[in-house]
Amino acid sequence: MKQFFAVFEYELGTYLKKRPFQIVTLLLMVLIAVGMTLPRFLASGEENTVTGLEEEQIAVMASQDMGMTSEQLSQLLNQSMGAMEGEEVFQPYSGTKEELMQAVEDNTYTSGLVFDSLLQYTRIAGTVGLYDQFSSVLQEVLLQTYRAQAMAQNGMSQEQVQQVLSAQVEETLEQTEAGKNQANSYLFTYVLIMLLYMAIIFYGQMVASSVATEKSSRAMELLITSARPTSLMFGKVFGAGCAGLLQFVLVLGTAYGAYQINEPYYTGAMSIMKTLFNLPVETLLYAILCFVMGFFIYAFIFAALASLVSRLEDLSNVITPATMLFVVVFIIVMVALNSGEVDTPLMIACSYIPLTSPMAMFVRITMGNVAGWEIAVSVALMAAGAVALGYLGAAIYRIGVLMYGKPPKLSGLVSMLKNRQK
Amino acid sequence: MQFAVEGLHKSFGQKQVLRDVSFSTESGKAFGLLGRNGAGKTTTIRIIMDVFPADSGKVLLDGAPMVREKINIGYLPEERGLYPKVNILEQLIYLGRLQGMTAHDAKANSMKWLERLGMEEHANKKLETLSKGNQQKIQLTAALISDPNFVILDEPFSGLDPVNAMLLKDVVRELINSGKIVLFSSHQMNYVEEFCDSIAILHHGEIVLSGSIRELRRAKGRSRWLIQTEETEKALRFCRESLSDVVKNAHAVKEGAAVELLHEGGEAALFAAVSTSGLIVDGVQLITPTLNDIFVEATTGDDDEAEGSEDK
């Protein structure tokens, strides 16, 4: 235990003292603080642009047999569209369609509308934006007007028409205990899974490169003759884990702090961030648990693999299989998450295999139907898997650190491990 | 303390690396474990350090199986290596703590040894900024930091300049005089001769020769003679033509002709023949074999090229 703490302290201290580690942490904190403060400026900026922007001038032409003049139509559109968007100004236009086309091209008007009837019109425009919603809003207004006219013609009073048109369906959602509102949890699940993925890959590789550095500098020979491999292995992984967790807490803490300061500005589309920062405590705890478990499982694998290489250059070759496995898991989980079906047989299986469960089980907890005992079993399996991989990793490490030259094949490794057990 | 290994066998896969290796030594003595590259020295040391177990055989301390956790062994590995980018004092303290010391003791002892080796001014530098010889002294500090009673030095003198080598010699002598077990592995026979009382020579995983250096020398001792003469050519011809039933391997050396007796006690016949040969001879003298001679003789033979070493 004494050895474990010595290794742990040394490793943690080394990470915290490393310049790149400090710089990256600081940089991430600054970036996220700036990012989280951005809505403050965007929000105030948006107001300015709205008032400062030139209104869109839209020319309106009504055909003669339509029953409405261009002026009437413009007025109607200004009333109903203006209330919704407020950017467009509709003006009656008298002239030919060709002249209007020319006028739009000359930017006298932003666009033009030539009406045959309420249900049929031609839109003359320059570039139509990717997120252009003008047409759908306009069509809704036209449809409403058409329906109102039709109902009035059939003898309905103004109030009746209003009532019919403004009718809405009300839904009250009552969920069972285990039920999840996927729409609500999708976003934070998505973000947390991304973070989980990045953290495990990043810190796992940090452990791997630390092991490979010790090996290539040949410090290993002294370490392995001074301390037990299990102490070295566990101390290293715990040290890197704590450094990682600390970095994570600092960065996410900064994000949360910046969010708190700027909270009033998170309006409109940005209000989606509120769901992120108000996620249930339970979910947060599960996320941390899955991070810790996932980190240990993969860090042990990475460390064991890294002990097989003699030069840093070979490191990426050796850990690629483990990284690939993890990426595949990530993709499976992401596909399931995006399809909304997280309780498929594949996902259920994945949520019990320690290599895949940190991600799979987390998604099922937030998005699917899992009973408490299922979570308990999965977490127990993760913990057991982590410990088993820790000891297996230490055994490989013990053999690996004294091997120089070409990394061994898997079969060779297995036979060496067997040899050791004798 | 009495230290011994008995009947060590070790194979890696199909390859047998150690075959029935036994030797013993005691406190206050230096023991030389010699052998060519790949002979099994490092494997033997690693078994002693309990990096891996032997397939069979024992490592004994005072007659009982040695428990690695209970005894501190200072180890200077042949492949030197520490953390190049870490503060020297810091990594020494870390290594001391791994060997069970408190941070405070580890620091005090590191400073003590750094001062002893004239390295105290470098204590707060990064290892990679030091010259090779100085790095080696740091490595030695790492081996001695816990004041172990048992020290294993694998090629301690390689890469040291004469001044540093002298410093290290003094340290090694101190270790021996203060009653530690010193296990010495080297190719540099002059150093081995200087410190070691006994040696064991490993060849292809087997001990081909062991015992005290003086006895080994004496055993080899009376077969090689030097005929001191100016007329080397003549003397050689005489040996080949008239003395082929008494000596063999006649060859020229600086002071004359060197010969090897065919039979034990053949020197009387050699003296008689030389005195009546008519050659102008300054004298006939016994050639004392150096450890180097003994080593070369023991480790060459059946095949010349040692196999790839197991630790490379």
Side-chain angles (χ1 to χ4, degrees), chain A residues 93 97-108 124:
Chain A
Y93 184 82
K97 201 174 160 185
E98 285 72 31
E99 284 168 356
L100 181 55
M101 181 75 95
Q102 190 59 46
V104 171
E105 209 172 310
D106 297 343
N107 282 330
T108 319
I124 299 169

Side-chain angles (χ1 to χ4, degrees), chain B residues 101-225:
Chain B
M101 305 174 81
T102 64
H104 180 264
D105 291 351
K107 186 174 182 181
N109 251 9
S110 302
M111 283 319 290
K112 183 185 93 184
W113 277 107
L114 286 174
E115 271 164 42
R116 175 71 185 83
L117 295 170
M119 298 297 291
E120 68 274 20
E121 61 189 298
H122 301 297
N124 284 311
K125 287 185 187 163
K126 282 184 183 172
L127 184 71
E128 62 184 355
T129 62
L130 266 52
S131 68
K132 191 173 174 236
N134 282 343
Q135 289 194 18
Q136 176 128 333
K137 289 202 262 179
I138 301 298
Q139 193 87 41
L140 185 70
T141 311
L144 299 176
I145 185 171
S146 63
D147 285 333
N149 287 321
F150 187 170
V151 183
I152 298 177
L153 305 173
D154 201 346
E155 287 295 348
F157 290 98
S158 77
L160 288 182
D161 64 42
V163 177
N164 279 329
M166 191 73 86
L167 187 62
L168 179 55
K169 272 198 222 169
D170 291 344
V171 171
V172 173
R173 214 167 276 129
E174 271 170 40
L175 292 175
I176 297 169
N177 291 340
S178 63
K180 298 178 194 300
I181 299 175
V182 178
L183 188 64
F184 211 84
S185 163
S186 181
H187 296 133
Q188 286 164 291
M189 295 302 156
N190 50 332
Y191 291 118
V192 176
E193 260 180 310
E194 194 168 340
F195 296 118
C196 297
D197 305 291
S198 305
I199 56 162
I201 297 179
L202 269 172
H203 189 49
H204 294 325
E206 276 177 286
I207 297 220
V208 287
L209 208 60
S210 68
S212 88
I213 293 181
R214 209 180 320 149
E215 275 163 28
L216 286 175
R217 265 200 188 137
R218 202 177 297 151
K220 293 269 153 195
R222 304 198 62 83
S223 69
R224 298 182 64 217
W225 294 83

Side-chain angles (χ1 to χ4, degrees), chain A residues 55-281:
Chain A
E55 290 160 332
E56 286 190 29
Q57 303 286 333
I58 299 168
V60 177
M61 266 172 75
S63 81
Q64 275 152 7
D65 48 354
M66 193 181 159
M68 279 175 102
T69 64
S70 299
E71 286 76 14
Q72 281 174 322
L73 202 50
S74 303
Q75 204 180 351
L76 171 76
L77 290 175
N78 276 329
Q79 275 170 6
S80 31
M81 296 276 289
M84 289 190 198
E85 293 285 322
E87 293 170 30
E88 295 94 353
V89 177
F90 296 88
Q91 287 177 345
Y93 184 82
S94 54
T96 63
K97 201 174 160 185
E98 285 72 31
E99 284 168 356
L100 181 55
M101 181 75 95
Q102 190 59 46
V104 171
E105 209 172 310
D106 297 343
N107 282 330
T108 319
Y109 295 100
T110 328
S111 61
L113 299 168
V114 181
F115 286 89
D116 297 325
S117 71
L118 276 177
L119 298 183
Q120 196 172 9
Y121 70 94
T122 310
R123 185 178 172 199
I124 299 169
T127 305
V128 178
L130 183 59
Y131 298 106
D132 188 276
Q133 291 193 330
F134 176 76
S135 292
S136 57
V137 175
L138 176 66
Q139 281 160 19
E140 186 59 29
V141 168
L142 293 173
L143 213 52
Q144 292 273 351
T145 314
Y146 174 78
R147 282 176 185 150
Q149 278 180 1
M151 281 188 274
Q153 274 166 14
N154 282 322
M156 284 174 87
S157 71
Q158 194 77 24
E159 288 81 33
Q160 281 173 317
V161 171
Q162 279 304 324
Q163 222 173 5
V164 171
L165 287 180
S166 60
Q168 274 184 345
V169 182
E170 255 178 61
E171 185 205 56
T172 314
L173 180 65
E174 279 179 16
Q175 289 186 288
T176 58
E177 192 84 3
K180 300 276 155 43
N181 187 341
Q182 294 194 335
N184 283 347
S185 32
Y186 175 79
L187 183 75
F188 65 70
T189 306
Y190 187 91
V191 171
L192 285 173
I193 281 290
M194 285 298 275
L195 287 176
L196 207 64
Y197 170 77
M198 290 192 303
I200 290 175
I201 284 277
F202 183 71
Y203 297 116
Q205 293 191 344
M206 197 162 85
V207 174
S209 74
S210 138
V211 171
T213 310
E214 272 175 8
K215 184 141 180 228
S216 68
S217 71
R218 310 248 172 180
M220 214 47 121
E221 179 113 23
L222 261 193
L223 293 179
I224 203 84
T225 51
S226 304
R228 280 188 308 277
T230 40
S231 306
L232 289 170
M233 184 74 151
F234 281 86
K236 260 180 169 323
V237 169
F238 272 87
C242 272
L245 208 56
L246 183 68
Q247 191 176 45
F248 234 63
V249 167
L250 282 176
V251 172
L252 294 187
T254 311
Y256 187 72
Y259 165 75
Q260 284 293 327
I261 294 169
N262 300 301
E263 201 196 344
Y265 299 94
Y266 281 83
T267 52
M270 293 306 291
S271 63
I272 208 165
M273 294 298 284
K274 286 188 176 152
T275 40
L276 262 189
F277 283 100
N278 294 326
L279 56 92
V281 179

Side-chain angles (χ1 to χ4, degrees), chain A residues 354-372:
Chain A
L355 287 173
T356 55
S357 50
M359 279 193 178
M361 200 45 162
F362 178 67
V363 169
R364 289 190 62 213
I365 288 172
T366 57
M367 300 279 285
N369 290 307
V370 273

Side-chain angles (χ1 to χ4, degrees), chain A residues 2-11 13-14 17 210 213-214 217-228 231-232 236 398 401-405 419-420 422, chain B residues 11-13 42 46 49-53 55 68-69 73 75-77 79-84 86 90-91 94-95 97-102 139 142-143 310-312:
Chain A
K2 225 166 136 188
Q3 279 178 349
F4 165 78
F5 281 113
V7 179
F8 171 74
E9 266 183 58
Y10 177 80
E11 290 289 330
T14 312
K17 266 182 268 178
S210 138
T213 310
E214 272 175 8
S217 71
R218 310 248 172 180
M220 214 47 121
E221 179 113 23
L222 261 193
L223 293 179
I224 203 84
T225 51
S226 304
R228 280 188 308 277
S231 306
L232 289 170
K236 260 180 169 323
R398 180 174 204 154
V401 292
L402 294 171
M403 263 183 337
Y404 287 93
N419 255 331
R420 251 212 75 80
K422 278 198 292 190
Chain B
S11 302
F12 291 113
T42 310
R46 283 179 179 166
M49 296 299 291
D50 198 30
V51 174
F52 39 67
D55 296 342
R68 182 63 186 84
E69 273 85 29
I73 303 181
Y75 179 33
L76 179 77
E79 292 283 358
R80 318 279 192 248
L82 288 167
Y83 296 96
V86 179
E90 226 167 80
Q91 49 183 315
Y94 174 48
L95 288 167
R97 289 189 63 197
L98 283 186
Q99 290 164 36
M101 305 174 81
T102 64
Q139 193 87 41
E310 84 286 356
D311 53 354
K312 290 285 145 61

